[in-house]
mmCIF file of all heavy atoms in Angstrom:
data_model
loop_
_atom_site.group_PDB
_atom_site.id
_atom_site.type_symbol
_atom_site.label_atom_id
_atom_site.label_comp_id
_atom_site.label_asym_id
_atom_site.label_seq_id
_atom_site.Cartn_x
_atom_site.Cartn_y
_atom_site.Cartn_z
ATOM 1 N N ALA A 1 0.826 -1.229 0.016
ATOM 2 C CA ALA A 1 -0.019 0.043 -0.054
ATOM 3 C C ALA A 1 0.926 1.174 0.063
ATOM 4 O O ALA A 1 1.836 1.281 0.697
ATOM 5 C CB ALA A 1 -0.868 -0.001 1.278
ATOM 6 N N CYS A 2 0.465 2.265 -0.847
ATOM 7 C CA CYS A 2 1.105 3.537 -0.899
ATOM 8 C C CYS A 2 0.201 4.452 -0.026
ATOM 9 O O CYS A 2 -0.958 4.647 -0.427
ATOM 10 C CB CYS A 2 1.378 3.988 -2.344
ATOM 11 S SG CYS A 2 1.947 5.653 -2.465
ATOM 12 N N ARG A 3 0.800 5.087 1.071
ATOM 13 C CA ARG A 3 -0.028 6.073 1.826
ATOM 14 C C ARG A 3 0.729 7.132 2.289
ATOM 15 O O ARG A 3 1.996 7.214 2.161
ATOM 16 C CB ARG A 3 -0.536 5.261 3.035
ATOM 17 C CG ARG A 3 0.592 4.804 4.045
ATOM 18 C CD ARG A 3 0.152 3.829 5.037
ATOM 19 N NE ARG A 3 1.278 3.636 6.063
ATOM 20 C CZ ARG A 3 1.068 2.766 7.063
ATOM 21 N NH1 ARG A 3 -0.068 1.958 7.167
ATOM 22 N NH2 ARG A 3 2.089 2.653 7.946
ATOM 23 N N THR A 4 0.000 8.213 2.618
ATOM 24 C CA THR A 4 0.588 9.582 3.207
ATOM 25 C C THR A 4 0.257 9.680 4.679
ATOM 26 O O THR A 4 -0.834 9.158 5.044
ATOM 27 C CB THR A 4 0.080 10.651 2.387
ATOM 28 O OG1 THR A 4 -1.360 10.798 2.621
ATOM 29 C CG2 THR A 4 0.421 10.477 0.989
ATOM 30 N N PHE A 5 1.093 10.173 5.411
ATOM 31 C CA PHE A 5 0.848 10.537 6.833
ATOM 32 C C PHE A 5 1.095 11.890 7.078
ATOM 33 O O PHE A 5 2.205 12.518 6.933
ATOM 34 C CB PHE A 5 1.783 9.659 7.662
ATOM 35 C CG PHE A 5 1.697 9.864 9.122
ATOM 36 C CD1 PHE A 5 0.486 9.526 9.769
ATOM 37 C CD2 PHE A 5 2.726 10.734 9.837
ATOM 38 C CE1 PHE A 5 0.321 9.791 11.205
ATOM 39 C CE2 PHE A 5 2.452 10.883 11.149
ATOM 40 C CZ PHE A 5 1.407 10.468 11.965
ATOM 41 N N ALA A 6 0.025 12.760 7.415
ATOM 42 C CA ALA A 6 0.105 14.178 7.942
ATOM 43 C C ALA A 6 0.351 14.127 9.251
ATOM 44 O O ALA A 6 -0.422 13.826 10.060
ATOM 45 C CB ALA A 6 -1.246 14.793 7.519
ATOM 46 N N ARG A 7 1.610 14.683 9.653
ATOM 47 C CA ARG A 7 1.922 14.653 10.971
ATOM 48 C C ARG A 7 1.073 15.505 11.937
ATOM 49 O O ARG A 7 0.713 15.070 12.972
ATOM 50 C CB ARG A 7 3.423 15.250 11.051
ATOM 51 C CG ARG A 7 4.423 14.423 10.423
ATOM 52 C CD ARG A 7 5.882 15.067 10.595
ATOM 53 N NE ARG A 7 6.820 14.252 9.997
ATOM 54 C CZ ARG A 7 7.369 13.174 10.512
ATOM 55 N NH1 ARG A 7 6.996 12.696 11.681
ATOM 56 N NH2 ARG A 7 8.279 12.416 9.774
ATOM 57 N N GLU A 8 0.651 16.715 11.484
ATOM 58 C CA GLU A 8 -0.225 17.497 12.356
ATOM 59 C C GLU A 8 -1.531 16.917 12.664
ATOM 60 O O GLU A 8 -2.028 16.865 13.815
ATOM 61 C CB GLU A 8 -0.332 18.959 11.801
ATOM 62 C CG GLU A 8 1.089 19.803 11.750
ATOM 63 C CD GLU A 8 0.604 21.115 11.196
ATOM 64 O OE1 GLU A 8 -0.376 21.462 10.673
ATOM 65 O OE2 GLU A 8 1.594 21.992 11.350
ATOM 66 N N ALA A 9 -2.157 16.366 11.670
ATOM 67 C CA ALA A 9 -3.533 15.794 11.759
ATOM 68 C C ALA A 9 -3.468 14.433 12.248
ATOM 69 O O ALA A 9 -4.495 13.785 12.766
ATOM 70 C CB ALA A 9 -4.184 15.871 10.404
ATOM 71 N N GLU A 10 -2.309 13.787 12.058
ATOM 72 C CA GLU A 10 -2.138 12.338 12.660
ATOM 73 C C GLU A 10 -3.115 11.563 11.837
ATOM 74 O O GLU A 10 -3.786 10.508 12.381
ATOM 75 C CB GLU A 10 -2.336 12.188 14.180
ATOM 76 C CG GLU A 10 -1.172 12.816 14.897
ATOM 77 C CD GLU A 10 -1.256 12.494 16.307
ATOM 78 O OE1 GLU A 10 -2.222 11.803 16.729
ATOM 79 O OE2 GLU A 10 -0.453 12.924 17.215
ATOM 80 N N GLU A 11 -3.291 11.767 10.422
ATOM 81 C CA GLU A 11 -4.146 11.012 9.645
ATOM 82 C C GLU A 11 -3.303 10.342 8.637
ATOM 83 O O GLU A 11 -2.453 10.753 8.021
ATOM 84 C CB GLU A 11 -5.216 11.912 8.981
ATOM 85 C CG GLU A 11 -6.198 12.540 9.919
ATOM 86 C CD GLU A 11 -7.244 13.551 9.280
ATOM 87 O OE1 GLU A 11 -6.945 13.681 8.085
ATOM 88 O OE2 GLU A 11 -8.093 13.968 9.892
ATOM 89 N N VAL A 12 -3.840 9.106 8.224
ATOM 90 C CA VAL A 12 -3.261 8.357 7.190
ATOM 91 C C VAL A 12 -4.173 8.226 5.979
ATOM 92 O O VAL A 12 -5.328 7.827 6.156
ATOM 93 C CB VAL A 12 -2.815 6.888 7.626
ATOM 94 C CG1 VAL A 12 -2.337 6.042 6.429
ATOM 95 C CG2 VAL A 12 -1.841 6.988 8.723
ATOM 96 N N ASP A 13 -3.658 8.596 4.758
ATOM 97 C CA ASP A 13 -4.476 8.415 3.583
ATOM 98 C C ASP A 13 -3.836 7.422 2.631
ATOM 99 O O ASP A 13 -2.762 7.530 2.365
ATOM 100 C CB ASP A 13 -4.602 9.839 2.896
ATOM 101 C CG ASP A 13 -5.507 10.817 3.493
ATOM 102 O OD1 ASP A 13 -6.501 10.427 4.141
ATOM 103 O OD2 ASP A 13 -5.204 12.048 3.519
ATOM 104 N N TYR A 14 -4.673 6.488 2.242
ATOM 105 C CA TYR A 14 -4.246 5.428 1.350
ATOM 106 C C TYR A 14 -4.564 5.897 -0.070
ATOM 107 O O TYR A 14 -5.604 6.298 -0.435
ATOM 108 C CB TYR A 14 -4.967 4.037 1.634
ATOM 109 C CG TYR A 14 -4.399 3.409 2.808
ATOM 110 C CD1 TYR A 14 -4.806 3.923 4.062
ATOM 111 C CD2 TYR A 14 -3.577 2.374 2.699
ATOM 112 C CE1 TYR A 14 -4.258 3.233 5.294
ATOM 113 C CE2 TYR A 14 -2.966 1.820 3.907
ATOM 114 C CZ TYR A 14 -3.369 2.258 5.112
ATOM 115 O OH TYR A 14 -2.818 1.639 6.298
ATOM 116 N N LEU A 15 -3.452 5.908 -0.878
ATOM 117 C CA LEU A 15 -3.496 6.444 -2.295
ATOM 118 C C LEU A 15 -3.530 5.338 -3.375
ATOM 119 O O LEU A 15 -4.307 5.515 -4.393
ATOM 120 C CB LEU A 15 -2.175 7.314 -2.605
ATOM 121 C CG LEU A 15 -2.101 8.405 -1.566
ATOM 122 C CD1 LEU A 15 -0.706 9.125 -1.970
ATOM 123 C CD2 LEU A 15 -3.214 9.375 -1.567
ATOM 124 N N GLN A 16 -2.748 4.307 -3.136
ATOM 125 C CA GLN A 16 -2.606 3.236 -4.267
ATOM 126 C C GLN A 16 -2.142 1.982 -3.617
ATOM 127 O O GLN A 16 -1.614 1.904 -2.566
ATOM 128 C CB GLN A 16 -1.841 3.690 -5.451
ATOM 129 C CG GLN A 16 -1.841 2.881 -6.740
ATOM 130 C CD GLN A 16 -3.137 2.656 -7.166
ATOM 131 O OE1 GLN A 16 -3.878 1.625 -6.959
ATOM 132 N NE2 GLN A 16 -3.649 3.811 -7.972
ATOM 133 N N PHE A 17 -2.301 0.899 -4.525
ATOM 134 C CA PHE A 17 -1.833 -0.474 -4.013
ATOM 135 C C PHE A 17 -1.069 -1.122 -5.172
ATOM 136 O O PHE A 17 -1.199 -0.770 -6.391
ATOM 137 C CB PHE A 17 -3.024 -1.418 -3.631
ATOM 138 C CG PHE A 17 -3.737 -0.892 -2.576
ATOM 139 C CD1 PHE A 17 -4.803 0.006 -2.694
ATOM 140 C CD2 PHE A 17 -3.421 -1.327 -1.206
ATOM 141 C CE1 PHE A 17 -5.548 0.313 -1.555
ATOM 142 C CE2 PHE A 17 -4.156 -0.890 -0.109
ATOM 143 C CZ PHE A 17 -5.208 -0.071 -0.305
ATOM 144 N N TYR A 18 -0.158 -1.956 -4.856
ATOM 145 C CA TYR A 18 0.732 -2.620 -5.884
ATOM 146 C C TYR A 18 0.655 -4.196 -5.510
ATOM 147 O O TYR A 18 0.701 -4.543 -4.335
ATOM 148 C CB TYR A 18 2.124 -2.217 -5.963
ATOM 149 C CG TYR A 18 2.312 -0.788 -6.149
ATOM 150 C CD1 TYR A 18 2.378 0.174 -5.307
ATOM 151 C CD2 TYR A 18 2.321 -0.262 -7.555
ATOM 152 C CE1 TYR A 18 2.563 1.561 -5.488
ATOM 153 C CE2 TYR A 18 2.493 1.005 -7.885
ATOM 154 C CZ TYR A 18 2.525 1.888 -6.916
ATOM 155 O OH TYR A 18 2.787 3.253 -7.328
ATOM 156 N N LYS A 19 0.513 -4.997 -6.609
ATOM 157 C CA LYS A 19 0.479 -6.415 -6.307
ATOM 158 C C LYS A 19 1.473 -7.174 -7.228
ATOM 159 O O LYS A 19 2.326 -6.551 -7.842
ATOM 160 C CB LYS A 19 -0.918 -6.916 -6.720
ATOM 161 C CG LYS A 19 -1.134 -6.729 -8.356
ATOM 162 C CD LYS A 19 -2.654 -7.204 -8.559
ATOM 163 C CE LYS A 19 -2.985 -7.043 -10.094
ATOM 164 N NZ LYS A 19 -4.279 -7.530 -10.533
ATOM 165 N N GLN A 20 1.508 -8.553 -7.068
ATOM 166 C CA GLN A 20 2.378 -9.357 -7.703
ATOM 167 C C GLN A 20 2.357 -8.999 -9.187
ATOM 168 O O GLN A 20 1.338 -8.929 -9.895
ATOM 169 C CB GLN A 20 2.090 -10.792 -7.603
ATOM 170 C CG GLN A 20 2.990 -11.782 -8.206
ATOM 171 C CD GLN A 20 2.567 -13.255 -8.145
ATOM 172 O OE1 GLN A 20 1.291 -13.480 -7.810
ATOM 173 N NE2 GLN A 20 3.383 -14.151 -8.393
ATOM 174 N N GLY A 21 3.605 -8.841 -9.801
ATOM 175 C CA GLY A 21 3.791 -8.607 -11.233
ATOM 176 C C GLY A 21 3.883 -7.200 -11.494
ATOM 177 O O GLY A 21 4.253 -6.917 -12.690
ATOM 178 N N GLN A 22 3.585 -6.295 -10.643
ATOM 179 C CA GLN A 22 3.744 -4.881 -10.777
ATOM 180 C C GLN A 22 5.129 -4.339 -10.405
ATOM 181 O O GLN A 22 5.845 -4.978 -9.597
ATOM 182 C CB GLN A 22 2.578 -4.102 -10.129
ATOM 183 C CG GLN A 22 1.260 -4.379 -10.686
ATOM 184 C CD GLN A 22 0.093 -3.348 -9.981
ATOM 185 O OE1 GLN A 22 0.138 -3.206 -8.921
ATOM 186 N NE2 GLN A 22 -0.612 -2.916 -10.864
ATOM 187 N N CYS A 23 5.374 -3.096 -10.875
ATOM 188 C CA CYS A 23 6.687 -2.536 -10.335
ATOM 189 C C CYS A 23 6.554 -1.090 -10.196
ATOM 190 O O CYS A 23 5.631 -0.470 -10.599
ATOM 191 C CB CYS A 23 7.718 -2.763 -11.439
ATOM 192 S SG CYS A 23 7.441 -2.202 -13.115
ATOM 193 N N PHE A 24 7.463 -0.520 -9.522
ATOM 194 C CA PHE A 24 7.514 0.893 -9.266
ATOM 195 C C PHE A 24 8.863 1.493 -8.902
ATOM 196 O O PHE A 24 9.786 0.709 -8.709
ATOM 197 C CB PHE A 24 6.682 1.307 -8.074
ATOM 198 C CG PHE A 24 6.925 0.453 -6.770
ATOM 199 C CD1 PHE A 24 7.881 0.869 -6.005
ATOM 200 C CD2 PHE A 24 6.215 -0.681 -6.497
ATOM 201 C CE1 PHE A 24 8.143 0.064 -4.822
ATOM 202 C CE2 PHE A 24 6.379 -1.455 -5.416
ATOM 203 C CZ PHE A 24 7.438 -1.206 -4.569
ATOM 204 N N LEU A 25 9.150 2.756 -9.289
ATOM 205 C CA LEU A 25 10.381 3.443 -8.989
ATOM 206 C C LEU A 25 10.299 4.059 -7.617
ATOM 207 O O LEU A 25 9.274 3.986 -6.825
ATOM 208 C CB LEU A 25 10.681 4.455 -10.053
ATOM 209 C CG LEU A 25 10.753 3.918 -11.510
ATOM 210 C CD1 LEU A 25 10.815 5.038 -12.480
ATOM 211 C CD2 LEU A 25 12.002 2.999 -11.704
ATOM 212 N N SER A 26 11.370 4.682 -7.246
ATOM 213 C CA SER A 26 11.388 5.447 -5.912
ATOM 214 C C SER A 26 10.202 6.519 -5.970
ATOM 215 O O SER A 26 10.063 7.118 -6.961
ATOM 216 C CB SER A 26 12.705 6.086 -5.724
ATOM 217 O OG SER A 26 12.692 7.009 -4.480
ATOM 218 N N LEU A 27 9.540 6.756 -4.816
ATOM 219 C CA LEU A 27 8.481 7.552 -4.723
ATOM 220 C C LEU A 27 8.805 8.904 -4.059
ATOM 221 O O LEU A 27 8.016 9.687 -3.706
ATOM 222 C CB LEU A 27 7.338 6.908 -4.016
ATOM 223 C CG LEU A 27 6.686 5.618 -4.641
ATOM 224 C CD1 LEU A 27 5.541 5.179 -3.807
ATOM 225 C CD2 LEU A 27 6.209 5.867 -6.016
ATOM 226 N N ASP A 28 10.089 9.069 -3.854
ATOM 227 C CA ASP A 28 10.637 10.175 -3.030
ATOM 228 C C ASP A 28 10.334 11.525 -3.676
ATOM 229 O O ASP A 28 9.946 12.510 -3.004
ATOM 230 C CB ASP A 28 12.095 10.097 -2.850
ATOM 231 C CG ASP A 28 12.690 11.204 -1.972
ATOM 232 O OD1 ASP A 28 12.358 11.109 -0.592
ATOM 233 O OD2 ASP A 28 13.234 12.102 -2.496
ATOM 234 N N SER A 29 10.157 11.528 -5.025
ATOM 235 C CA SER A 29 10.002 12.807 -5.700
ATOM 236 C C SER A 29 8.497 13.272 -5.530
ATOM 237 O O SER A 29 8.197 14.414 -5.682
ATOM 238 C CB SER A 29 10.265 12.615 -7.234
ATOM 239 O OG SER A 29 9.339 11.603 -7.740
ATOM 240 N N PHE A 30 7.666 12.378 -5.112
ATOM 241 C CA PHE A 30 6.321 12.778 -5.003
ATOM 242 C C PHE A 30 6.058 13.415 -3.586
ATOM 243 O O PHE A 30 5.009 13.903 -3.227
ATOM 244 C CB PHE A 30 5.262 11.600 -4.989
ATOM 245 C CG PHE A 30 5.266 10.964 -6.490
ATOM 246 C CD1 PHE A 30 6.176 10.040 -6.915
ATOM 247 C CD2 PHE A 30 4.371 11.603 -7.287
ATOM 248 C CE1 PHE A 30 6.096 9.543 -8.113
ATOM 249 C CE2 PHE A 30 4.329 11.088 -8.716
ATOM 250 C CZ PHE A 30 5.276 10.036 -9.061
ATOM 251 N N SER A 31 7.035 13.213 -2.659
ATOM 252 C CA SER A 31 6.883 13.670 -1.321
ATOM 253 C C SER A 31 7.696 14.992 -1.100
ATOM 254 O O SER A 31 8.630 15.026 -0.244
ATOM 255 C CB SER A 31 7.454 12.587 -0.315
ATOM 256 O OG SER A 31 7.138 12.957 1.061
ATOM 257 N N SER A 32 7.230 16.084 -1.813
ATOM 258 C CA SER A 32 8.082 17.323 -1.808
ATOM 259 C C SER A 32 7.615 18.183 -0.520
ATOM 260 O O SER A 32 8.247 19.095 -0.096
ATOM 261 C CB SER A 32 7.717 18.038 -3.074
ATOM 262 O OG SER A 32 6.467 18.223 -3.313
ATOM 263 N N GLN A 33 6.359 17.995 -0.092
ATOM 264 C CA GLN A 33 5.952 18.756 1.092
ATOM 265 C C GLN A 33 6.535 18.282 2.335
ATOM 266 O O GLN A 33 6.429 17.246 2.654
ATOM 267 C CB GLN A 33 4.318 18.683 1.182
ATOM 268 C CG GLN A 33 3.737 19.235 -0.080
ATOM 269 C CD GLN A 33 2.157 19.132 -0.025
ATOM 270 O OE1 GLN A 33 1.675 19.501 1.051
ATOM 271 N NE2 GLN A 33 1.509 18.802 -1.173
ATOM 272 N N GLU A 34 6.910 19.344 3.171
ATOM 273 C CA GLU A 34 7.603 18.955 4.462
ATOM 274 C C GLU A 34 6.705 18.178 5.369
ATOM 275 O O GLU A 34 7.141 17.169 6.050
ATOM 276 C CB GLU A 34 8.058 20.187 5.103
ATOM 277 C CG GLU A 34 9.221 20.944 4.505
ATOM 278 C CD GLU A 34 9.686 22.105 5.457
ATOM 279 O OE1 GLU A 34 9.145 22.176 6.574
ATOM 280 O OE2 GLU A 34 10.601 22.872 4.966
ATOM 281 N N LYS A 35 5.398 18.626 5.438
ATOM 282 C CA LYS A 35 4.544 17.808 6.448
ATOM 283 C C LYS A 35 3.780 16.738 5.844
ATOM 284 O O LYS A 35 2.851 16.198 6.466
ATOM 285 C CB LYS A 35 3.613 18.944 6.900
ATOM 286 C CG LYS A 35 4.247 20.056 7.706
ATOM 287 C CD LYS A 35 3.329 21.209 8.139
ATOM 288 C CE LYS A 35 3.977 22.300 8.770
ATOM 289 N NZ LYS A 35 3.018 23.386 9.264
ATOM 290 N N LEU A 36 4.071 16.272 4.727
ATOM 291 C CA LEU A 36 3.404 15.092 4.136
ATOM 292 C C LEU A 36 4.541 13.997 3.817
ATOM 293 O O LEU A 36 5.334 14.241 3.032
ATOM 294 C CB LEU A 36 2.815 15.453 2.835
ATOM 295 C CG LEU A 36 1.925 14.563 2.095
ATOM 296 C CD1 LEU A 36 0.703 14.102 2.995
ATOM 297 C CD2 LEU A 36 1.380 14.980 0.863
ATOM 298 N N ASN A 37 4.330 12.934 4.518
ATOM 299 C CA ASN A 37 5.323 11.798 4.352
ATOM 300 C C ASN A 37 4.516 10.746 3.467
ATOM 301 O O ASN A 37 3.507 10.241 3.708
ATOM 302 C CB ASN A 37 5.702 11.215 5.568
ATOM 303 C CG ASN A 37 6.613 12.089 6.417
ATOM 304 O OD1 ASN A 37 7.199 12.800 5.864
ATOM 305 N ND2 ASN A 37 6.564 11.992 7.680
ATOM 306 N N LEU A 38 5.330 10.282 2.394
ATOM 307 C CA LEU A 38 4.684 9.346 1.483
ATOM 308 C C LEU A 38 5.508 8.019 1.818
ATOM 309 O O LEU A 38 6.784 8.029 1.839
ATOM 310 C CB LEU A 38 4.963 9.639 0.113
ATOM 311 C CG LEU A 38 4.269 8.834 -1.007
ATOM 312 C CD1 LEU A 38 2.799 8.834 -0.823
ATOM 313 C CD2 LEU A 38 4.646 9.336 -2.480
ATOM 314 N N GLU A 39 4.788 6.923 1.923
ATOM 315 C CA GLU A 39 5.566 5.732 2.331
ATOM 316 C C GLU A 39 4.749 4.383 1.749
ATOM 317 O O GLU A 39 3.679 4.478 1.609
ATOM 318 C CB GLU A 39 5.559 5.531 3.951
ATOM 319 C CG GLU A 39 4.223 5.431 4.651
ATOM 320 C CD GLU A 39 4.339 5.434 6.122
ATOM 321 O OE1 GLU A 39 5.461 5.690 6.581
ATOM 322 O OE2 GLU A 39 3.324 5.024 6.802
ATOM 323 N N LEU A 40 5.591 3.418 1.602
ATOM 324 C CA LEU A 40 5.059 2.126 1.131
ATOM 325 C C LEU A 40 5.141 1.078 2.304
ATOM 326 O O LEU A 40 6.060 1.038 3.092
ATOM 327 C CB LEU A 40 5.890 1.523 -0.086
ATOM 328 C CG LEU A 40 5.729 2.337 -1.379
ATOM 329 C CD1 LEU A 40 6.774 1.806 -2.387
ATOM 330 C CD2 LEU A 40 4.348 2.280 -1.983
ATOM 331 N N VAL A 41 3.995 0.377 2.517
ATOM 332 C CA VAL A 41 4.083 -0.610 3.592
ATOM 333 C C VAL A 41 3.544 -2.048 3.021
ATOM 334 O O VAL A 41 2.850 -1.951 2.238
ATOM 335 C CB VAL A 41 3.107 -0.196 4.757
ATOM 336 C CG1 VAL A 41 3.769 1.110 5.455
ATOM 337 C CG2 VAL A 41 1.716 0.066 4.276
ATOM 338 N N ALA A 42 3.968 -3.049 3.610
ATOM 339 C CA ALA A 42 3.559 -4.423 3.355
ATOM 340 C C ALA A 42 2.097 -4.453 3.880
ATOM 341 O O ALA A 42 1.866 -4.268 5.138
ATOM 342 C CB ALA A 42 4.334 -5.455 3.880
ATOM 343 N N PHE A 43 1.113 -4.752 3.071
ATOM 344 C CA PHE A 43 -0.272 -4.425 3.448
ATOM 345 C C PHE A 43 -0.940 -5.710 3.695
ATOM 346 O O PHE A 43 -1.724 -5.890 4.588
ATOM 347 C CB PHE A 43 -0.911 -3.879 2.300
ATOM 348 C CG PHE A 43 -2.431 -3.402 2.669
ATOM 349 C CD1 PHE A 43 -2.731 -2.477 3.415
ATOM 350 C CD2 PHE A 43 -3.526 -4.203 2.124
ATOM 351 C CE1 PHE A 43 -4.060 -2.061 3.792
ATOM 352 C CE2 PHE A 43 -4.794 -3.864 2.474
ATOM 353 C CZ PHE A 43 -5.113 -2.846 3.373
ATOM 354 N N ASP A 44 -0.741 -6.824 2.995
ATOM 355 C CA ASP A 44 -1.553 -8.069 3.158
ATOM 356 C C ASP A 44 -0.586 -9.247 3.148
ATOM 357 O O ASP A 44 -0.142 -9.789 2.126
ATOM 358 C CB ASP A 44 -2.559 -8.223 2.011
ATOM 359 C CG ASP A 44 -3.740 -9.099 2.366
ATOM 360 O OD1 ASP A 44 -3.680 -9.614 3.498
ATOM 361 O OD2 ASP A 44 -4.682 -9.285 1.580
ATOM 362 N N GLY A 45 -0.319 -9.759 4.325
ATOM 363 C CA GLY A 45 0.682 -10.902 4.419
ATOM 364 C C GLY A 45 2.061 -10.553 4.199
ATOM 365 O O GLY A 45 2.509 -9.316 4.333
ATOM 366 N N GLU A 46 2.832 -11.559 3.786
ATOM 367 C CA GLU A 46 4.237 -11.203 3.468
ATOM 368 C C GLU A 46 4.440 -10.621 2.089
ATOM 369 O O GLU A 46 3.796 -11.105 1.111
ATOM 370 C CB GLU A 46 5.167 -12.467 3.689
ATOM 371 C CG GLU A 46 5.121 -13.013 5.119
ATOM 372 C CD GLU A 46 6.119 -14.172 5.318
ATOM 373 O OE1 GLU A 46 6.309 -14.846 4.241
ATOM 374 O OE2 GLU A 46 6.566 -14.349 6.424
#
């Protein structure tokens, strides 16, 4: 799961998902705002 975390509001927003057979590049360039962290997490199982 690709999600954002707003530090001040302490809210998590889910933006997109990736499954077997898909690929992605680094997402750092999308996280340009200081107070918005973009992260990828293992969502369902291993």
